[in-house]
Amino acid sequence: MMKLNNIIDCDVHPHPRNMEEIRQYLPLPWRHRLQMVNSRGMYMNPIHVNRLDSETPDGGFPCSDPDFMRTQLMDAYGINYAILLPRAFATMYPNPDFAAAVAAAYNDWLADRWLDNNNKDGRCKGSITVAPQDPTLAVKEIERWAGHPHMVQVMMDGGSRAPYGQRQFYPIYEACAHYGLPVAFHPGTEGVGINESPAPGYPSTYIEWHVGLMLAFQAHLISFITEGVFERFPKLKVVLVEGGSAWLPPLLWRLEAEWKALREEVPWVKKRPSEYVRDHVRITSQPLENPDNKQQLLQIFEMMGAKDILMFSSDYPHWDFDSPTRAFPKLEEEIKRRIFYENAKELYNLD
Amino acid sequence: MMKLNNIIDCDVHPHPRNMEEIRQYLPLPWRHRLQMVNSRGMYMNPIHVNRLDSETPDGGFPCSDPDFMRTQLMDAYGINYAILLPRAFATMYPNPDFAAAVAAAYNDWLADRWLDNNNKDGRCKGSITVAPQDPTLAVKEIERWAGHPHMVQVMMDGGSRAPYGQRQFYPIYEACAHYGLPVAFHPGTEGVGINESPAPGYPSTYIEWHVGLMLAFQAHLISFITEGVFERFPKLKVVLVEGGSAWLPPLLWRLEAEWKALREEVPWVKKRPSEYVRDHVRITSQPLENPDNKQQLLQIFEMMGAKDILMFSSDYPHWDFDSPTRAFPKLEEEIKRRIFYENAKELYNLD
């Protein structure tokens, strides 16, 4: 085995080789209705979605082969654990039964192909995809997987019809808190299918849409805090994946100033918003901000308390992959250890 | 006359004493249809919208009396010029003719009550309200006022059905550029009337909505840059009012990284996004971010190039008023002079 470098990669995307691989887990009548549709049909990446070198040796879809992923990513960098987030895009569908079936099929596939098999040393950990259209079905799906030795979190797409702190989603958060599973949000269905845009109106281009995703994530975080979700579910942990992180200090300054002035409107918000973030929210690093002056990124890390809340992620095999060895400026040893390893190890209870 | 302290206040809100004051400028059939409606009927400030001490001495509506405003704000702080932004909320109406009529009525009222009269020394400067629902009517309204000695910019609400960089708005920007009038955006109709929410779905509370306004402003700025508006209208200047400013560095880091990778999708974006901001965008300061550690705000100022783009504003008479003497941490003399005076003086061609 390769030398391990105390790295947990919190955002790796296993893909099916083709849609048949998923369809085999879909019952009728849904089996033949699943298409390879997602946000890319509307906001089309003008270059390429995946790293050009990430196709499998036999020409297969990027990150569709557990062994090749392990060689190209985990062994190459000495990554201890990879947290796998499949891309089911289940939140985009109008039919809640279909959305739930697609989520379940991806979970069955993930377990079969990546977790229960081809995972001898257990270094691949999975995410339970749920569709929030019917929270009751989402809870059933969580219950179906809770206790699985390699499922470490619940995940939903960032795309939604409402801010994710609202009450219709609470059955999901209650189940997550009950089973000790963090709930992760990953972009990809904003403004697509039945979901609202990341910001007012539809963006025109992929770049506009893609930059705007960080705004949608901020809106969900504002919602979680102002709705008092963490008071209602004190054990709930939220993971914001691939939505950026450097926006956090300005957002919290604004939110805290308004909370000090307007808190009588939201008396259930009992602590400073920054305390809820520190205690309940973790943010993955990719795509890491990259100012000309690297010192400014370190200043932002200090402002946001990155030592406690940031977790390394590469987004393998996607085009804007962040290398564990090259994406970050030089960090002090303690903050590096926490960002690359300890924060995720504690969150996911990994040894 | 009071001593002037080289301060230009870029966000002062003159209000009518009552709606009759506006209705007298509205032709039939609109005159009797105008109600005192705005975002506050949906997202209700839980405390108070205006400074409690800003009612006029005879109990009139805050900032409804030019003389009292001058005493309480301009003379009290030695403010050289006040840039007046009336709150017509014209963007919220479904009927484009009504929206245009309301905008025109506010412009007539502003000129009569605040600019052509009660403004002997010309220290009050006005904003031409337009409704973007019908850009052709908006252009006519701009043409009606261009050349007025005290109208210094065009203004629209931040609330919209589409990102403001999109093509349907270009007739307005063409007129602004032609007449040398900056176009200012001010929050207030996001998620209200016909407009999209500031971020996915409707916020539940005023605090959530109010914090979210900064996200909508970022979305509009992303749109202006990715759509190439400043290449198409090289003389256009955009003013972002009351949407915060500390979010700018993280936003530009993200936008620049994506532009470097994806620029073939938007070949009309020829310069770094930060260059467009420096050359074409000004941001007003209120509500100024207020971190526990004031040094962090100065770091953000450095990151954003605040010296060139930030302009002081108080938001008088609103509840979250920023005092010229107390809102800012201690600044070096040059940056202070530019933020409090020079940047606005140059933008608005004031002497």
Side-chain angles (χ1 to χ4, degrees):
Chain A
M1 194 164 98
M2 298 290 302
K3 173 175 175 292
L4 296 180
N5 289 323
N6 280 356
I7 299 172
I8 298 172
D9 186 341
C10 292
D11 187 23
V12 174
H13 296 301
H15 291 296
R17 282 169 296 203
N18 52 55
M19 294 314 282
E20 286 311 313
E21 205 172 288
I22 300 297
R23 285 194 192 99
Q24 65 180 301
Y25 298 100
L26 266 176
L28 292 172
W30 309 124
R31 187 175 303 155
H32 305 298
R33 299 188 196 171
L34 180 67
Q35 306 295 316
M36 184 62 189
V37 290
N38 55 42
S39 56
R40 290 162 201 153
M42 189 158 164
Y43 294 107
M44 295 155 283
N45 188 315
I47 48 175
H48 46 85
V49 171
N50 293 292
R51 271 173 53 170
L52 298 176
D53 64 350
S54 66
E55 282 189 5
T56 63
D58 59 349
F61 202 86
C63 204
S64 65
D65 179 325
D67 290 336
F68 185 65
M69 180 281 277
R70 199 169 282 239
T71 302
Q72 189 171 51
L73 178 69
M74 298 183 75
D75 291 351
Y77 295 101
I79 289 172
N80 301 48
Y81 294 99
I83 312 297
L84 306 182
L85 291 89
R87 306 299 299 113
F89 299 97
T91 57
M92 67 180 279
Y93 299 115
N95 184 323
D97 290 319
F98 181 63
V102 170
Y106 269 86
N107 292 330
D108 285 322
W109 164 78
L110 182 70
D112 264 9
R113 174 92 173 132
W114 291 84
L115 302 179
D116 298 340
N117 301 296
N118 309 309
N119 189 25
K120 199 156 47 176
D121 52 4
R123 286 163 54 209
C124 284
K125 301 296 179 185
S127 307
I128 305 163
T129 296
V130 298
Q133 287 91 325
D134 182 337
T136 306
L137 292 179
V139 169
K140 283 188 179 158
E141 190 65 21
I142 294 168
E143 289 171 344
R144 195 161 74 90
W145 294 103
H148 186 285
H150 299 305
M151 288 290 199
V152 296
Q153 67 184 355
V154 170
M155 76 171 284
M156 295 200 277
D157 298 316
S160 76
R161 289 182 283 185
Y164 269 129
Q166 290 188 1
R167 300 176 193 189
Q168 59 269 39
F169 305 113
Y170 290 0
I172 299 172
Y173 306 145
E174 185 175 24
C176 290
H178 177 77
Y179 292 111
L181 294 164
V183 58
F185 295 90
H186 186 287
T189 56
E190 286 84 350
V192 174
I194 58 172
N195 292 322
E196 298 281 336
S197 293
Y202 285 96
S204 301
T205 56
Y206 177 85
I207 185 174
E208 183 185 359
W209 175 80
H210 201 246
V211 175
L213 296 174
M214 63 187 272
L215 306 178
F217 270 59
Q218 292 176 70
H220 292 310
L221 181 56
I222 297 168
S223 174
F224 268 101
I225 290 170
T226 57
E227 298 274 3
V229 176
F230 301 120
E231 289 290 338
R232 193 177 288 251
F233 305 109
K235 292 183 179 171
L236 184 66
K237 307 280 186 185
V238 166
V239 188
L240 303 179
V241 183
E242 204 178 327
S245 61
W247 43 259
L248 186 64
L251 178 70
L252 286 177
W253 297 342
R254 168 71 26 234
L255 186 52
E256 297 210 341
E258 305 230 359
W259 173 70
K260 283 174 191 165
L262 304 169
R263 56 191 290 191
E264 73 180 60
E265 190 191 24
V266 285
W268 44 83
V269 184
K270 295 185 177 146
K271 295 190 285 192
R272 292 180 64 155
S274 57
E275 292 184 51
Y276 291 114
V277 170
R278 185 197 61 207
D279 295 343
H280 296 274
V281 178
R282 296 294 176 266
I283 303 182
T284 67
S285 61
Q286 187 278 343
L288 189 68
E289 284 78 2
N290 186 25
D292 293 348
N293 177 347
K294 301 296 174 276
Q295 196 59 35
Q296 295 178 341
L297 186 62
L298 298 179
Q299 290 175 347
I300 289 277
F301 280 1
E302 176 71 25
M303 294 177 197
M304 70 190 275
K307 182 165 73 69
D308 293 320
I309 63 172
L310 200 63
M311 307 195 300
F312 171 75
S313 62
S314 75
D315 196 30
Y316 179 89
H318 288 165
W319 65 280
D320 47 355
F321 173 80
D322 272 353
S323 154
T325 55
R326 293 196 296 186
F328 277 71
K330 183 152 179 57
L331 299 174
E332 288 175 20
E333 199 49 45
E334 189 200 350
I335 186 172
K336 182 176 176 184
R337 196 176 69 244
R338 291 201 63 85
I339 291 173
F340 278 79
Y341 192 64
E342 296 287 341
N343 287 340
K345 175 175 168 287
E346 288 167 16
L347 180 73
Y348 296 124
N349 287 313
L350 303 173
D351 303 312
Chain B
M1 195 165 101
M2 297 290 301
K3 174 174 174 292
L4 296 179
N5 288 324
N6 280 355
I7 300 172
I8 298 172
D9 186 341
C10 292
D11 188 22
V12 174
H13 295 302
H15 291 296
R17 281 168 296 202
N18 52 56
M19 295 313 282
E20 286 311 313
E21 204 172 289
I22 301 296
R23 286 195 191 101
Q24 64 179 303
Y25 298 101
L26 265 176
L28 292 172
W30 309 124
R31 188 174 303 155
H32 305 297
R33 299 189 195 170
L34 179 67
Q35 304 296 317
M36 184 62 191
V37 290
N38 55 41
S39 57
R40 290 163 201 153
M42 189 158 165
Y43 294 107
M44 294 155 284
N45 187 315
I47 46 174
H48 45 86
V49 171
N50 293 293
R51 271 174 54 172
L52 298 177
D53 64 349
S54 67
E55 282 189 4
T56 61
D58 58 348
F61 203 85
C63 204
S64 65
D65 179 327
D67 290 336
F68 186 66
M69 180 282 277
R70 199 170 283 237
T71 302
Q72 189 171 50
L73 178 69
M74 297 182 75
D75 292 350
Y77 294 101
I79 289 171
N80 301 50
Y81 294 99
I83 312 296
L84 306 182
L85 291 91
R87 307 300 299 113
F89 299 98
T91 58
M92 67 181 279
Y93 299 114
N95 184 323
D97 290 318
F98 181 64
V102 169
Y106 269 85
N107 292 329
D108 285 321
W109 163 78
L110 182 70
D112 265 8
R113 173 95 172 130
W114 291 83
L115 302 179
D116 298 339
N117 301 296
N118 309 309
N119 189 26
K120 200 156 45 175
D121 52 3
R123 286 162 55 207
C124 284
K125 300 297 180 185
S127 307
I128 305 163
T129 296
V130 299
Q133 287 91 325
D134 182 338
T136 306
L137 291 180
V139 169
K140 284 189 180 157
E141 189 65 21
I142 294 169
E143 289 172 343
R144 195 161 74 91
W145 294 102
H148 186 286
H150 299 305
M151 288 290 199
V152 296
Q153 67 184 355
V154 169
M155 76 170 285
M156 296 199 278
D157 298 316
S160 76
R161 289 182 285 186
Y164 268 129
Q166 290 188 0
R167 300 176 194 190
Q168 58 270 38
F169 305 112
Y170 290 180
I172 299 172
Y173 306 145
E174 186 175 25
C176 290
H178 177 77
Y179 292 110
L181 293 164
V183 58
F185 295 90
H186 186 286
T189 56
E190 286 83 352
V192 175
I194 58 172
N195 292 323
E196 298 281 336
S197 292
Y202 285 96
S204 302
T205 55
Y206 177 85
I207 185 174
E208 183 185 359
W209 175 81
H210 201 246
V211 174
L213 297 174
M214 62 186 273
L215 306 177
F217 270 60
Q218 293 177 69
H220 292 310
L221 181 57
I222 296 167
S223 174
F224 267 101
I225 290 170
T226 57
E227 298 274 2
V229 176
F230 300 119
E231 288 290 337
R232 193 177 289 250
F233 306 109
K235 292 183 179 170
L236 184 66
K237 307 280 185 184
V238 166
V239 188
L240 304 179
V241 182
E242 204 177 327
S245 62
W247 44 258
L248 186 64
L251 178 70
L252 285 177
W253 297 342
R254 169 70 27 232
L255 186 53
E256 297 211 341
E258 306 230 357
W259 173 71
K260 283 173 191 164
L262 304 169
R263 55 192 289 189
E264 72 180 60
E265 190 192 25
V266 285
W268 44 83
V269 184
K270 294 184 177 148
K271 295 190 286 191
R272 293 180 64 156
S274 57
E275 293 184 50
Y276 290 115
V277 170
R278 185 198 59 207
D279 295 342
H280 295 275
V281 178
R282 296 294 176 267
I283 302 182
T284 67
S285 61
Q286 187 279 344
L288 189 68
E289 285 78 2
N290 186 24
D292 292 348
N293 177 348
K294 301 296 174 273
Q295 196 59 33
Q296 295 178 341
L297 186 62
L298 298 178
Q299 290 174 346
I300 289 277
F301 280 0
E302 175 71 25
M303 295 177 195
M304 71 189 276
K307 182 165 73 69
D308 293 320
I309 63 171
L310 200 63
M311 306 194 299
F312 170 75
S313 63
S314 75
D315 196 29
Y316 180 89
H318 289 166
W319 65 279
D320 46 355
F321 173 80
D322 272 354
S323 154
T325 55
R326 294 196 295 186
F328 278 71
K330 184 154 178 54
L331 299 174
E332 289 176 21
E333 199 49 44
E334 189 200 351
I335 187 172
K336 182 176 176 185
R337 196 177 68 245
R338 290 202 63 85
I339 292 174
F340 278 79
Y341 192 65
E342 297 286 341
N343 287 340
K345 175 175 167 287
E346 289 167 16
L347 181 73
Y348 296 124
N349 287 312
L350 302 173
D351 303 312

